Amino acid sequence: MMTQWEQTWAAAAENDNILGNISPGHIPTGFDLQRNLWCTLNRIRTSHGRCADSLHKWGMRDSRECDCGAEKQTIYHIAFVCPIHGYQGPRMDCLTTPP
C-alpha cells in the first residue's frame, strides 16, 4: 500500500511545483509548532476550514461575503488576498514556515 501511495504521489508531483519539492515521508517544517498554530497552518495549506463560504454551504451563515466586502470569503482569500486578514509575506512561507 505504501509503495502504491508513493508512486501516486510521484506521478502527481511531476506536474506540481510545490508537491515536487516535498517527499511523502518528509516531516514538514513547522511540525514542532504549538498545536493551534500547526492546525491553522494546515488549514491554509489544504484550503479547508471555517470561513464564510464553508459556513454558508453548511447552512450556518446567511452570506459567503467577507468582512472586507469581497463576495466570497474562502481560506485562500483570508490567508492571501483579504486586505483585513491577508498575510503580507510570500505564499511559500506556508510550506517553509520561516521564523
Side-chain angles (χ1 to χ4, degrees), residues 11-51:
E14 286 180 19
N15 298 319
D16 189 305
N17 291 334
I18 294 175
L19 283 181
N21 295 325
I22 302 170
S23 167
H26 172 73
I27 295 175
T29 57
F31 191 72
D32 57 345
L33 292 171
Q34 294 175 354
R35 186 178 191 285
N36 64 332
L37 295 174
W38 177 248
C39 290
T40 299
L41 181 61
N42 283 318
R43 286 182 182 129
I44 293 169
R45 287 174 171 167
T46 61
S47 293
H48 287 86
R50 292 179 303 255
C51 60

Side-chain angles (χ1 to χ4, degrees), residues 9 13-14 19 24 34 45 47 51 64-65 67-68 83 92 96:
W9 181 280
E14 286 180 19
L19 283 181
Q34 294 175 354
R45 287 174 171 167
S47 293
C51 60
R64 290 185 160 112
E65 191 174 300
D67 301 337
C68 73
M92 191 58 126
T96 60

Side-chain angles (χ1 to χ4, degrees), residues 1-10 23-25:
M1 182 66 94
M2 185 66 166
T3 302
Q4 183 181 6
W5 180 73
E6 288 174 349
Q7 290 171 347
T8 302
W9 181 280
S23 167

Side-chain angles (χ1 to χ4, degrees), residues 65-82:
E65 191 174 300
C66 182
D67 301 337
C68 73
E71 181 180 323
K72 198 173 184 182
Q73 183 194 62
T74 61
I75 296 297
Y76 179 85
H77 172 81
I78 294 168
F80 302 114
V81 179
C82 184

